[in-house]
Amino acid sequence: MSFTETTRTSWFARLKNGVVGIFIGLILVFGMIWLLAWNEGRSVKTYRALVEGAGAVVDVDSGAVEAGNEGKLVHIAGRIDPVGTPTDSLLEVSANGAAGLRRSVEMYQWVEEKKSETRKTLGGGEETVTTYSYAKEWRSDRADSADFRDGNGHQNPEMPLSSERFTVERAMLGAFSVDGRAVADLGRDSPVKMADADLQRVADALDTNRPVKTDGQTIFVSADRQNPAVGDLRIGFTREDTETASFVAAQKGGSLAPYRTSNGRDLFLSSAGIASAAEMFDAAQSENTLITWLVRVGGLIGLFIGFTLMLSLISIIADVIPVLGSVVAFGTGIIAAILTLIIGPLVIAIAWFAYRPLLSLAIVAVGALVAFGIGYLRAGKAKPLAAGVTA
């Protein structure tokens, strides 16, 4: 079930949007410059903190807390014993021996999908054809049917229950106390079996007249789980079991806490199973490198979008003749890419320069060469075209 809507935007309205786009693009460019610079500073500080920590860490026996290690960065590994039982007090479901318990809730509901196709019209305007379609799906978050383009017959009820996580307050690793959530984060997930005795408690908690049934793992609040109706629920529980774990943290009395390095960074490394301190620091350095590159890529994409928005007014003006507008848009896209390849690496290089000057110079050189190459190829294609026009 779907319907189509057609909207038209005049050339003057697009010009107004283009002017607004210049300011939005400018804000986005400065924001991405800040993000790229901040990311390099974060990366360097994290790297230095990990190097400092790797040189200061002390391997200790988890069986006893030695006063001489108070405040030091220690590495311990061993068996985990949760203190207490994670419990969903609302539905009265617990997981004995686990460090954590997750409640997952899904509701069968209407969802809206929107697909748009835009084409330019003579005179610089645009025509957009949007198709809205509606289908029923299981979703863990409620789709607000009040925001649907066609809400008639597509109403979703409120979810009476949401997904939630429960963990023990703490766990013991030998003689050391560790935060329960940190232990649960390392846990191995497995489903909690549901019994018929759980069903009445769920029905009472939800105050529902719908039948409550289970297949042994999932609770269905539905008259017919094979043919669900809007508002039906699926509820499942997963336990998080951590048998052994390794930590690198500061010894604070009989517990583990984040270790503050000389540059103000906090170190608290954890790993499921038995891992050496060297392996944990290597993994942390790899994670730092991955995060750094992900933010770099995101920042460069943001820069490109920002420059594109700043230059969009030029192509809108040229859209009085649609074919000409497409050519100009392609050209402004090339310019945005060149600016991105110059500004992005330059910001990264400046941020790194104080720490790794050779790498900084290499980044600038690569960015400049790529930008020059694109410009050169673009100029090479333009010369034959110009010659043909002259003839």
Side-chain angles (χ1 to χ4, degrees):
M1 104 186 21
S2 63
F3 79 96
T4 300
E5 182 180 68
T6 301
T7 58
R8 294 174 177 82
T9 306
S10 69
W11 183 62
F12 292 102
R14 293 187 62 212
L15 285 176
K16 180 181 177 181
N17 294 337
V19 173
V20 174
I22 292 175
F23 292 100
I24 295 176
L26 192 62
I27 294 172
L28 186 58
V29 166
F30 279 107
M32 292 302 102
I33 289 175
W34 177 87
L35 176 66
L36 289 171
W38 169 84
N39 180 51
E40 300 308 316
R42 178 209 60 79
S43 177
V44 170
K45 289 179 181 178
T46 302
Y47 171 83
R48 288 175 173 171
L50 290 172
V51 170
E52 178 184 329
V57 67
V58 177
D59 286 308
V60 300
D61 184 356
S62 62
V65 178
E66 297 184 11
N69 292 324
E70 180 67 18
K72 292 183 179 180
L73 183 66
V74 299
H75 165 256
I76 62 173
R79 178 181 174 79
I80 293 292
D81 294 307
V83 178
T85 302
T87 303
D88 179 348
S89 57
L90 178 62
L91 300 185
E92 299 182 31
V93 175
S94 59
N96 292 322
L101 175 70
R102 289 182 183 272
R103 177 217 293 159
S104 61
V105 181
E106 293 178 304
M107 183 174 75
Y108 197 65
Q109 57 187 291
W110 287 106
V111 294
E112 179 185 73
E113 291 189 4
K114 181 175 68 173
K115 293 182 179 179
S116 297
E117 183 178 350
T118 301
R119 67 181 184 88
K120 297 176 183 178
T121 59
L122 189 62
E126 282 185 343
E127 183 179 81
T128 301
V129 178
T130 304
T131 300
Y132 299 88
S133 58
Y134 300 88
K136 300 173 186 177
E137 296 180 7
W138 289 102
R139 291 284 185 93
S140 57
D141 55 332
R142 176 181 176 270
D144 190 353
S145 52
D147 294 334
F148 289 172
R149 187 64 183 85
D150 179 16
N152 187 25
H154 304 128
Q155 288 82 25
N156 289 327
E158 295 291 334
M159 290 185 68
L161 196 66
S162 61
S163 299
E164 197 169 345
R165 187 189 189 197
F166 315 90
T167 64
V168 294
E169 184 176 347
R170 64 190 180 95
M172 300 302 297
L173 197 167
F176 290 84
S177 175
V178 188
D179 178 71
R181 183 171 290 271
V183 171
D185 288 341
L186 305 174
R188 173 178 50 83
D189 295 344
S190 59
V192 176
K193 293 183 179 180
M194 296 288 103
D196 291 338
D198 299 318
L199 303 183
Q200 187 58 50
R201 294 198 302 270
V202 173
D204 293 340
L206 296 179
D207 191 22
T208 179
N209 294 324
R210 302 189 187 201
V212 180
K213 304 174 184 178
T214 181
D215 62 359
Q217 290 187 0
T218 304
I219 295 175
F220 297 89
V221 184
S222 173
D224 184 358
R225 69 188 191 204
Q226 301 300 328
N227 297 287
V230 171
D232 286 356
L233 299 176
R234 292 194 307 201
I235 305 171
F237 287 90
T238 303
R239 56 183 294 147
E240 300 169 314
D241 292 286
T242 307
E243 298 177 358
T244 58
S246 306
F247 292 91
V248 171
Q251 178 178 312
K252 300 291 184 182
S255 63
L256 298 177
Y259 176 85
R260 181 61 60 91
T261 61
S262 59
N263 66 354
R265 308 293 286 185
D266 287 337
L267 284 184
F268 189 95
L269 307 183
S270 59
S271 176
I274 306 299
S276 66
E279 291 172 335
M280 295 179 71
F281 276 102
D282 286 344
Q285 289 287 17
S286 298
E287 181 181 357
N288 182 43
T289 300
L290 177 61
I291 293 173
T292 301
W293 278 105
L294 288 175
V295 176
R296 283 174 181 167
V297 172
L300 291 175
I301 292 174
L303 274 179
F304 177 75
I305 294 174
F307 285 128
T308 300
L309 287 173
M310 292 173 64
L311 297 170
S312 62
L313 184 61
I314 300 174
S315 61
I316 292 174
I317 294 173
D319 272 341
V320 173
I321 304 175
V323 175
L324 179 61
S326 299
V327 174
V328 172
F330 177 77
T332 56
I334 295 295
I335 295 173
I338 292 175
L339 289 173
T340 299
L341 292 172
I342 293 175
I343 301 299
L346 182 61
V347 171
I348 294 173
I350 292 174
W352 269 87
F353 191 78
Y355 187 68
R356 291 182 179 177
L358 294 179
L359 179 60
S360 301
L361 293 174
I363 292 174
V364 173
V366 170
L369 285 173
V370 173
F372 175 78
I374 293 176
Y376 179 79
L377 292 174
R378 178 65 179 161
K381 290 181 179 179
K383 286 181 180 179
L385 179 60
V389 171
T390 303

